[in-house]
Every structure is written in C-alpha cells, then in structure tokens.
Amino acid sequence: MEPAETLPPGNHLPYSTWRALNRLRSGVTRCKTNLQRWGLLDRGQDTLCDCGVIQDSAHMSVCPLIGEKCTLTDLLQANDNAVAAASHWRYLA
C-alpha cells in the first residue's frame, strides 16, 4: 500500500475491528505463535487455533472459523470478507 494522507479503507469501523483489520493487513497480529515469541503466552500453552491448526498470522485470514477466506486484496479494500475476519479476531488480533 502506498503512503497517503488519508486513512485506509475501513476507518469507519468500530475501533476494535479497525485495529484488527490493520494488524491483519500488516501481518503483525496477536496470534498465538507471536504471543509465544513475545513471551506473552503462558508456558506450556499450545499455539493451536480453536479449529485445531497452528495459529499464526497467515492462518488468521484463512481460518475456517471466520467463514470465507480473506486475501490481502480483501484486507486492503476492507470488503465484507475482511470485515468478517477482523470482526472475528477483534479481541485477539
């Protein structure tokens, strides 16, 4: 995405969803693998998503729990797939 003087699409969303959308766009989410790397996950706690797959930033846009898969283009456009993904992860991402 090119730098701009305006906010990217999706800035009308509730803050928690907007924050999750931006974290998904940048690939720096609060997924379990990142939390473990940052030392924020309890020792011995697994890094599996509720769907049973390792939860990393890439998984968060294709997880079956969010419904439709979400692409980077979806995230950049803040379309319905992106909003659904961001809404699902808003308290984690």
Side-chain angles (χ1 to χ4, degrees), residues 21-84:
L21 179 62
N22 286 315
R23 287 179 176 171
L24 288 165
R25 285 175 175 156
S26 67
V28 184
T29 61
R30 293 181 54 84
C31 62
K32 289 185 178 181
T33 55
N34 280 346
L35 292 175
Q36 184 180 55
R37 184 175 353 153
W38 299 331
L40 300 174
L41 198 63
D42 291 335
R43 270 207 163 164
Q45 189 174 352
D46 66 33
T47 58
L48 296 179
C49 181
D50 291 340
C51 71
V53 177
I54 291 180
Q55 188 187 77
D56 58 13
S57 291
H59 171 73
M60 294 178 87
S61 52
V62 297
C63 180
L65 299 177
I66 64 170
E68 291 292 320
K69 292 183 179 180
C70 181
T71 65
L72 180 58
T73 303
D74 293 332
L75 293 170
L76 294 175
Q77 294 173 354
N79 63 20
D80 291 341
N81 287 348
V83 172

